[in-house]
Amino acid sequence: MTEPRIVSAAFVASSSDPGKLPAPALAEVAFAGRSNVGKSSLLNTMMQRKNLARTSRTPGCTRQINLFEVAWTDGLHVHLVDLPGYGYAKRSRTEKSSWGPMLEGYLSTRGVLRAVTILVDVRRGPEEDDLELVDFLHALETPPRILLAATKIDKLSRAQQKPALEKVKRQFKGPIIGFSSVTGDGRDALWQRLRHAIAIEPANEHE
Ligand SMILES: Nc1nc2c(ncn2[C@@H]2O[C@H](COP(=O)(O)OP(=O)(O)OP(=O)(O)O)[C@@H](O)[C@H]2O)c(=O)[nH]1
Ligand SMILES: [Mg+2]
């Protein structure tokens, strides 16, 4: 049996208006989190492409909804969606408990959205914004699956990683995947969860 692998990964479209994105064609998985947490870097690692999603040391790099299409040798075909970060420019009072028209519009109207991966920095854990996003997603009419990833685990020593991940897990009350875009740690585990969320299991013995 050969392990399934990615055959292609490509940029599809980008827009600040969810209504102007290409009509839903494939299952989508979106990546959300505070600015600078490492969403675009994680996507590049997931797609095994260095600079397909733009990253920057400065928060607020991704300003639009970006769609990428990934195809696997075993037939898995999915859109990965890089979202703008939140928590960078402080939200105004009227925007409180709203994710702004862009994020909210995308998350609540995209029928093909199967899962949202929420990323938090392993050293900071979830903050108010992240927990509000969880509540927002739970309240949707057809809530997507929520996956949780703790980024930048390479910033901690091996010995520090386990207790830090346990802590984030308790705070979120759910399983968490430790991830590093520097070492690639967590990549396989996250793909496995994504596959599960979009109900396509890894290729079996016929491959
Ligand atoms: N050490 C380390 N640095 C990381 C990791 N992931 C991202 N970074 C760095 O963190 C910074 C922000 O990364 P981005 O991927 O642009 O973050 P983002 O969440 O997409 O940010 P916005 O688009 O502004 O919301 C960059 O300098 C990355 O190199 C990681 O796993 N380990
Ligand atoms: Mg980004």
Side-chain angles (χ1 to χ4, degrees):
M1 159 185 144
T2 355
E3 285 288 312
R5 53 187 174 75
I6 290 176
V7 267
S8 66
F11 170 76
V12 176
S14 139
S15 176
S16 52
D17 178 352
K20 296 215 171 99
L21 289 170
L26 294 176
E28 291 182 3
V29 178
F31 297 81
R34 294 172 68 82
S35 287
N36 210 46
V37 72
K39 298 174 293 297
S40 303
S41 304
L42 174 139
L43 275 167
N44 286 329
T45 302
M46 292 297 281
M47 298 187 288
Q48 291 173 319
R49 293 284 296 271
K50 268 210 159 75
N51 295 307
L52 200 49
R54 266 196 57 220
T55 66
S56 164
R57 219 182 274 199
T58 321
C61 176
T62 309
R63 303 266 169 124
Q64 299 195 315
I65 301 162
N66 291 278
L67 256 62
F68 299 92
E69 183 175 336
V70 181
W72 284 71
T73 46
D74 63 350
L76 176 70
H77 207 174
V78 63
H79 275 163
L80 302 186
V81 185
D82 192 9
L83 296 171
Y86 45 78
Y88 166 52
K90 255 217 162 319
R91 281 181 288 153
S92 66
R93 194 182 290 268
T94 47
E95 255 192 314
K96 209 53 183 147
S97 74
S98 143
W99 297 94
M102 198 189 331
L103 277 190
E104 194 164 303
Y106 172 78
L107 294 171
S108 57
T109 61
R110 201 77 175 164
V112 283
L113 182 64
R114 301 284 179 80
V116 177
T117 308
I118 301 177
L119 281 60
V120 298
D121 187 314
V122 71
R123 298 162 299 173
R124 298 176 69 155
E127 298 184 50
E128 205 184 320
D129 284 332
D130 305 307
L131 299 170
E132 279 176 25
L133 177 58
V134 173
D135 290 342
F136 173 83
L137 292 170
H138 279 314
L140 290 175
E141 204 172 316
T142 39
R145 187 86 60 109
I146 299 176
L147 305 175
L148 305 167
T151 60
K152 308 192 185 183
I153 56 163
D154 58 279
K155 298 261 193 187
L156 299 180
S157 70
R158 285 271 165 203
Q160 291 170 319
Q161 286 176 13
K162 205 171 168 203
L165 286 169
E166 282 299 323
K167 188 172 170 199
V168 181
K169 188 174 160 183
R170 280 198 303 277
Q171 290 167 320
F172 259 133
K173 303 185 187 76
I176 183 115
I177 293 174
F179 198 95
S180 167
S181 298
V182 173
T183 63
D185 274 353
R187 181 182 180 273
D188 293 345
L190 185 52
W191 265 119
Q192 213 168 6
R193 294 272 172 87
L194 295 185
R195 279 176 173 273
H196 198 74
I198 52 187
I200 297 178
E201 298 301 329
N204 53 32
E205 54 282 355
H206 302 300
E207 293 288 312

